[in-house]
Amino acid sequence: MYPLELTVNGRSYQVAVNVKTTLLEVLRDQLSITSPKVGCNTGDCGTCSVLLDGKLVRSCITNALSAQGKEVITVEGIAKAGELHPLQEAFHENYGSQCGFCTPGMILASKALLDENPNPSREEAKEALSGNLCRCTGYVKILDSVMAAAEKMGGPQGS
Amino acid sequence: MTEGQFFKAASPQEACDLLAQYDGKARLLAGGTDLMVAMNLRQQSPEVLIYIGDSDLNYIKEEGGDLVIGAGTTLSEVLNSDIIKKSAPLLVKAVSQMASVAIRNVGTIGGNLANASPAADSATALLALNATLKLVSKGGERLVPVDQFFTGPGESVLGPGEIIQEILIPAQVNGTKWGYHKIGKRKAQSLSIVSVAICCSLEGGTCKDARIALGAVAPTPILASVAAELLEGKALSEGLIDETAKAAANATSPVDDVRGSAWYRRRASEALVRKLLAQMSV
């Protein structure tokens, strides 16, 4: 076993992992942070998505030891105390979530997009979310939610 | 069962030393978008992992007119590079249609080549761009043109102690035109059923140094050299385009698989070469 230190949602953790452990296993099984889901476990579906040093990654195919010393954000970490993130609000208000299994990944993929491009076109949002599957097929409402959140967050110049 | 060992190589040389030390037992880990999938599916169970995500293999530069891309450069970095957009837009186009954001953020161009999938989209583009790979090992280094790199599905000339250090793309001559088209089951997150990349100088209206590359239609990504030679020194007429497209389809040896039939792949290869050459001719 190897020691692994990482920060998740602003809190530091130390765990022990083996060479095959994935970041998703660390989050769910060792830290009980369960918003990233086990879907395909092959990097295809996107429901395990997290932000690693600000970048969207698949935690199911991220070797845990490659995240040594890095900062992980899951959907639990984007809300401020008692206050939902505008993306969470927008998903709630626009019915962007049905069964909810894909929602954490969808919200983080959306956050990664808005962090880079605060005023995306609907087409750009579609492209950014194209690696996240929703088996309820609620894509229209999901895109509505992302566009609403972008508007709520006001874009770069508050326009 | 052994627990396995994990090393973090600080440089390509250190990675080569470790590979030599664990002769045949170690696997390189960069973004993990192929290896970790294989490990999750229990198709692979390496005893030793050498992590090269932090090994100074991540760079994009111009050297004497050539474009040099470190093998550890992620697909997202390729996509966002102004240098590559300017000097090898074909590669940017191919990479933009690979996988999805989260995979491109960690998957590397060297990993895509080393994995040696017949459907590796970066390979099709790099074949058309006449790229060369710099391979390094403990014993030294050698240059291998991309068209001599692949030997079969999942197989290449890469020796057990060797790693891809960088990709060299020669400066394209003036008047070079290019085209790229990929067919997959869906737009995002899907492997190619057929991909075609073409580069050709069309200065003064005649073709020179044409390169036609096809992916996912043979045991390796291939160059349709016989087809490309038909173009040499000639103007792109409708008849010549038709002849070349047929010759390119003849260069393929596709298989039936879950993504498409051999029959479809051959027909689509011909159609795509015809379409791209027609677009380049105007």
Side-chain angles (χ1 to χ4, degrees):
Chain A
M1 300 293 265
Y2 286 85
L4 169 68
E5 284 182 37
L6 75 178
T7 307
V8 185
N9 299 328
R11 205 177 134 187
S12 303
Y13 293 92
Q14 290 189 340
V15 293
V17 299
N18 69 42
V19 296
K20 290 175 192 154
T21 308
T22 66
L23 178 58
L24 180 60
E25 289 166 340
V26 171
L27 293 171
R28 290 183 62 88
D29 303 342
Q30 302 197 44
L31 307 182
S32 300
I33 295 169
T34 54
S35 73
K37 302 286 182 259
V38 185
C40 64
N41 222 25
T42 53
D44 290 295
C45 77
T47 194
C48 69
S49 300
V50 301
L51 300 177
L52 184 62
D53 279 354
K55 280 190 202 144
L56 190 72
V57 302
R58 304 283 203 236
S59 65
C60 78
I61 53 168
T62 301
N63 187 291
L65 288 165
S66 74
Q68 187 78 258
K70 294 187 178 167
E71 194 189 339
V72 179
I73 302 283
T74 69
V75 89
E76 287 91 341
I78 68 169
K80 294 194 185 103
E83 200 184 318
L84 291 179
H85 186 278
L87 268 164
Q88 293 172 304
E89 269 177 16
F91 269 72
H92 173 64
E93 287 160 3
N94 292 277
Y95 304 93
S97 181
Q98 291 184 45
C99 84
F101 194 77
C102 74
T103 311
M106 288 288 179
I107 289 184
L108 290 173
S110 307
K111 184 170 189 305
L113 167 72
L114 297 182
D115 286 348
E116 261 186 29
N117 177 2
N119 269 319
S121 65
R122 200 173 171 96
E123 207 46 45
E124 286 170 329
K126 225 174 177 175
E127 164 68 28
L129 296 186
S130 63
N132 292 66
L133 303 182
C134 166
R135 286 304 78 176
C136 307
T137 70
Y139 295 107
V140 171
K141 296 291 183 193
I142 290 169
L143 286 168
D144 288 348
S145 308
V146 179
M147 299 312 286
E151 202 174 330
K152 236 180 229 283
M153 290 162 76
Q157 295 92 28
S159 57
Chain B
M1 204 185 101
T2 56
E3 258 198 355
Q5 282 179 282
F6 187 94
F7 296 97
K8 201 168 177 174
S11 65
Q13 291 71 30
E14 199 180 324
C16 290
D17 289 348
L18 284 162
L19 276 177
Q21 191 182 334
Y22 291 95
D23 189 30
K25 289 184 184 145
R27 288 296 308 268
L28 297 175
L29 172 72
T33 55
D34 285 309
L35 182 57
M36 289 301 289
V37 174
M39 285 166 63
N40 283 354
L41 295 174
R42 293 179 170 73
Q43 290 165 344
Q44 287 198 39
S45 191
E47 287 173 36
V48 181
L49 286 181
I50 303 169
Y51 180 60
I52 51 166
D54 224 343
S55 306
D56 282 337
L57 281 164
N58 190 319
Y59 50 85
I60 297 164
K61 57 190 180 187
E62 277 173 309
E63 261 177 21
D66 291 354
L67 177 61
V68 183
I69 306 172
T73 304
T74 67
L75 298 172
S76 289
E77 286 163 342
V78 169
L79 207 51
N80 295 321
S81 158
D82 289 332
I83 298 178
I84 305 180
K85 275 181 204 162
K86 179 174 65 77
S87 48
L90 164 59
L91 181 60
V92 174
K93 169 92 181 228
V95 169
S96 74
Q97 294 178 29
M98 288 172 75
S100 62
V101 179
I103 300 293
R104 291 193 299 259
N105 277 344
V106 294
T108 63
I109 188 159
N112 191 234
L113 296 171
N115 192 49
S117 160
D121 290 333
S122 69
T124 315
L126 291 171
L127 278 170
L129 289 164
N130 199 13
T132 295
L133 306 180
K134 183 169 162 188
L135 311 183
V136 291
S137 61
K138 205 180 173 189
E141 59 179 60
R142 59 175 175 147
L143 295 174
V144 176
V146 176
D147 60 7
Q148 289 165 28
F149 180 72
F150 302 106
T151 52
E155 289 167 10
S156 70
V157 300
L158 207 57
E162 216 168 22
I163 70 172
I164 305 174
Q165 171 151 355
E166 60 192 26
I167 297 139
L168 303 120
I169 301 173
Q172 307 297 304
V173 298
N174 282 338
T176 296
K177 287 202 173 185
W178 59 273
Y180 179 81
H181 196 110
K182 162 179 174 168
I183 298 177
K185 285 263 186 203
R186 58 194 286 264
K187 259 173 87 181
Q189 200 80 353
S190 93
L191 294 172
S192 283
I193 300 171
V194 184
S195 66
V196 177
I198 305 181
C199 261
C200 181
S201 158
L202 278 163
E203 187 106 75
T206 55
C207 300
K208 201 169 165 289
D209 301 328
R211 295 176 71 87
I212 302 173
L214 299 108
V217 291
T220 69
I222 55 163
L223 272 182
S225 309
V226 174
E229 273 161 29
L230 294 173
L231 299 172
E232 203 60 31
K234 298 193 195 124
L236 275 179
S237 67
E238 209 176 306
L240 180 63
I241 289 175
D242 190 56
E243 198 190 341
T244 307
K246 290 196 167 91
N250 274 337
T252 67
S253 48
V255 292
D256 293 319
D257 70 11
V258 289
R259 301 197 295 279
S261 66
W263 178 87
Y264 175 79
R265 286 184 152 109
R266 200 170 284 118
R267 301 258 307 204
S269 299
E270 182 180 329
L272 291 183
V273 172
R274 183 179 290 116
K275 175 187 144 140
L276 292 176
L277 286 175
Q279 284 170 356
M280 288 160 69
S281 71
V282 293

